[in-house]
Amino acid sequence: MEDLPNGFLNYPKKRPGFESAGDEIRRHMSDAEFGKVQTDYLESQKRALRDGWRVPDESASEPGELHLFSERRDAVKWGVDRKYRAQDVRSYMRIPSAGAASSGPVFDFDELDRIAETDRRWSWLEINLGAIQNNIMAIKATLDPATLFMAVVKADGYGHGAVPCAKTALNSGADYLGVATVDEAMEIRQGGIEAPILILSEPPLASIPLLLGYNIMPSVATVEFAVKYAEAADSIGAKAPYHLKVNTGMNRVGVRHEAVVDFLQTISFHRALQLVGTFTHFATADVQDTMDFNLQKARFEDALADMRAAAFDPGIVHAANSAATIRHKDVHYDMVRPGIAMYGYFPCPETYGALNLLPAMSVKARITQVNQVPVGEGVSYGLVHRSNGFAKTCTVPIGYGDGLNRALSGRIDFIMDGRTYPQVGTICMDQCMFEVDIRTRSGIGRIEPQVGDEVIVVGEQGNAFVTIDQMADMLGTLSYEVMIAFGNSRMPKMYV
């Protein structure tokens, strides 16, 4: 259309209202364009039926509008076809029908929201719920059949997603759920889960209405909270169930072990209070030396004996975290409280290999850019890494804003196509780089990384593996911290 004559090649002005032949042709071609859009829509429906995509309802959401979209399936394999469909912007718009008054195309935000999170930014967490089920079954196989199982899903299920993990745990035989905060418990209730939930420390007084409204059980450690909680429950004709937290030496929260009976005698006058369980937490269950562990165990059991002697039923007795569950069968009591082992990690070296645990979290990304950096030039902040000229530098969109600790810069490997490649340069907030040697070597063909290639930041492929434990060792910290940093970052979670 651009090369059509305008009819005014040698005239500086045109008469008002005059339409040149070229303008008339262009107008008619524009009028015909919408007819072509309608034809394209019908063809897209035919293709949708052929390709197994959903065909939208013929009824438009607003009068005079025609829907032009096709729902992209997350299961569509990455490739040219998926890439093309993602870029077909008309699939996410409503086009005004012929004759309708409209200011132009309008985006359908419901359809825009269907674009997969992994196509908005190429980094994500992959959570294997089957691994969590395997780990729970492996732990339960070591327990007495009568021993209850509390699945600890605090900190968003240790970064794995509290609601999906809670549902998987309950379907795998868990009896209770343990969380750290009222908000965590509320999220689980809002996820449609009705199993008993225990907050593992005493919450604030102002949260009492939430506890009663959402049927959440608190831990109790102070007289003030116990009385206020009981009064609130009694005012609506309800009970105030709780678990008593006993401080046996960790000195974080709880009623001192020698003062448990006095505490119960102080609050037991209230008819609404209902003691459901009694528990403590071991500070050194994951330490090789068991002296302090045994002291805490003795204090706890003395407190339980004192309670019973004073005619207080302790209810469900529990104390064993992951380390104690695996290492010390004598403290399984009525219920165990595994946390990190449920997600596939051993709590301490003394437990390695004791169970068949499978890590449930993988961290993945796709290459966003590939550069052949000239020899001697630097990479990333500070230019601390220099190119040898025989490698390609690949960028992936994951950084310390996503839980990949900056202190790991230049110390870890990534996996691509079953082989490891060194991460190079300083890890940035949103991105980092790794290097692929492109020289041909004996038995190994030339490697040509491409934009869109999948990279494993944490996980395994073939004989190659990168683990959260390795990263934790490099950082001098716990796998818990590394795992939760990834899990509570901005990366989306994909469940398999």
Side-chain angles (χ1 to χ4, degrees):
M1 276 196 319
E2 294 304 320
D3 58 356
L4 289 172
N6 61 23
F8 299 96
L9 294 178
N10 297 312
Y11 299 93
K13 296 182 180 181
K14 65 179 181 178
R15 186 171 67 251
F18 180 84
E19 183 176 41
S20 71
D23 287 343
E24 184 178 11
I25 291 171
R26 272 186 284 269
R27 178 171 56 78
H28 284 298
M29 291 181 74
S30 295
D31 291 342
E33 187 65 23
F34 187 80
K36 181 178 182 300
V37 168
Q38 289 177 312
T39 301
D40 288 347
Y41 170 64
L42 295 175
E43 288 300 318
S44 72
Q45 285 196 321
K46 292 177 183 177
R47 288 195 303 271
L49 289 171
R50 184 177 65 246
D51 297 344
W53 289 19
R54 176 177 67 82
V55 178
D57 192 329
E58 290 294 336
S59 59
S61 60
E62 296 180 18
E65 289 191 338
L66 175 68
H67 281 253
L68 281 180
F69 66 87
S70 48
E71 183 175 344
R72 296 168 55 245
R73 301 283 80 188
D74 290 346
V76 177
K77 190 175 181 180
W78 170 258
V80 175
D81 193 40
R82 179 175 176 181
K83 193 172 184 179
Y84 170 76
R85 291 173 181 176
Q87 294 171 344
D88 184 3
V89 70
R90 295 179 306 168
S91 298
Y92 305 98
M93 299 177 74
R94 300 189 185 103
I95 308 298
S97 61
S102 174
S103 60
V106 178
F107 278 97
D108 185 328
F109 287 95
D110 288 337
E111 286 305 309
L112 288 173
D113 288 344
R114 294 180 188 276
I115 296 175
E117 290 181 282
T118 51
D119 285 339
R120 304 174 196 176
R121 182 172 183 243
W122 278 350
S123 57
W124 67 95
L125 299 172
E126 190 172 278
I127 309 298
N128 188 335
L129 295 176
I132 292 175
Q133 182 180 44
N134 169 86
N135 300 335
I136 292 173
M137 299 302 291
I139 296 167
K140 283 179 67 68
T142 68
L143 307 177
D144 184 280
T147 304
L148 299 176
F149 189 106
M150 177 187 288
V152 180
V153 292
K154 63 181 181 177
D156 195 32
Y158 285 48
H160 293 69
V163 172
C165 291
K167 289 180 177 179
T168 299
L170 293 168
N171 289 336
S172 304
D175 307 281
Y176 253 77
L177 300 172
V179 298
T181 71
V182 174
D183 280 340
E184 289 176 348
M186 288 169 58
E187 179 187 0
I188 291 170
R189 284 285 183 254
Q190 290 162 354
I193 295 172
E194 298 179 356
I197 302 175
L198 175 66
I199 300 177
L200 293 166
S201 58
E202 186 178 275
L205 288 170
S207 71
I208 289 173
L210 294 170
L211 302 177
L212 296 170
Y214 282 92
N215 189 26
I216 300 165
M217 207 175 309
S219 297
V220 168
T222 66
V223 171
E224 182 184 17
F225 181 88
V227 172
K228 295 285 188 183
Y229 176 48
E231 289 174 347
D234 197 43
S235 70
I236 58 172
K239 291 294 185 181
Y242 73 98
H243 284 226
L244 176 66
K245 181 66 177 285
V246 182
N247 174 13
T248 57
M250 188 165 179
N251 294 313
R252 185 171 60 180
V253 292
V255 179
R256 285 287 301 181
H257 58 95
E258 68 270 23
V260 164
V261 171
D262 288 343
F263 178 83
L264 290 172
Q265 288 174 338
T266 302
I267 67 171
S268 62
F269 73 91
H270 211 296
R271 63 184 180 182
L273 282 174
Q274 186 177 52
L275 179 58
V276 176
T278 303
F279 71 109
T280 194
H281 191 66
F282 293 118
T284 60
D286 56 352
V287 175
Q288 186 174 13
D289 187 341
T290 61
M291 182 181 71
D292 288 319
F293 172 83
N294 288 329
L295 177 60
Q296 279 195 264
K297 175 192 170 189
R299 287 173 171 175
F300 185 52
E301 292 180 351
D302 286 347
L304 293 171
D306 291 343
M307 289 172 64
R308 294 184 177 110
F312 290 108
D313 181 357
I316 300 169
V317 176
H318 51 108
N321 55 10
S322 289
T325 299
I326 297 172
R327 296 183 67 196
H328 304 285
K329 293 183 183 295
D330 54 338
V331 294
H332 286 181
Y333 301 123
D334 300 319
M335 183 164 67
V336 295
R337 302 192 308 265
I340 197 166
M342 195 174 94
Y343 304 101
Y345 289 85
F346 292 99
C348 57
E350 289 74 21
T351 61
Y352 289 169
L355 301 172
N356 177 32
L357 300 182
L358 304 176
M361 178 185 289
S362 300
V363 182
K364 298 185 177 181
R366 291 191 186 278
I367 296 175
T368 56
Q369 186 162 330
V370 178
N371 295 310
Q372 183 144 11
V373 181
V375 62
E377 286 201 9
V379 174
S380 193
Y381 289 116
L383 304 180
V384 294
H385 173 78
R386 299 282 172 171
S387 171
N388 61 13
F390 299 107
K392 287 193 174 181
T393 302
C394 304
T395 302
V396 288
I398 180 172
Y400 60 79
D402 307 289
L404 186 61
N405 197 299
R406 190 171 181 271
L408 294 171
S409 297
R411 304 169 66 188
I412 55 175
D413 292 330
F414 294 161
I415 302 171
M416 186 175 65
D417 294 330
R419 293 176 55 190
T420 57
Y421 299 93
Q423 186 276 319
V424 297
T426 302
I427 293 171
C428 310
M429 182 184 292
D430 313 306
Q431 303 175 87
C432 67
M433 284 67 81
F434 70 98
E435 205 168 63
V436 176
D437 193 317
I438 59 174
R439 290 174 289 187
T440 302
R441 287 171 287 172
S442 177
I444 302 176
R446 180 183 172 93
I447 306 298
E448 288 291 349
Q450 303 292 324
V451 170
D453 285 350
E454 186 175 278
V455 176
I456 297 175
V457 178
V458 172
E460 60 180 283
Q461 190 177 62
N463 294 323
F465 59 90
V466 178
T467 71
I468 284 175
D469 283 333
Q470 290 172 332
M471 293 181 176
D473 286 344
M474 291 176 188
L475 295 169
T477 187
L478 301 173
S479 55
Y480 301 70
E481 183 179 351
V482 178
M483 180 190 313
I484 291 173
F486 281 127
N488 289 341
S489 73
R490 58 193 166 180
M491 288 189 291
K493 298 179 179 68
M494 312 303 292
Y495 292 93
V496 298

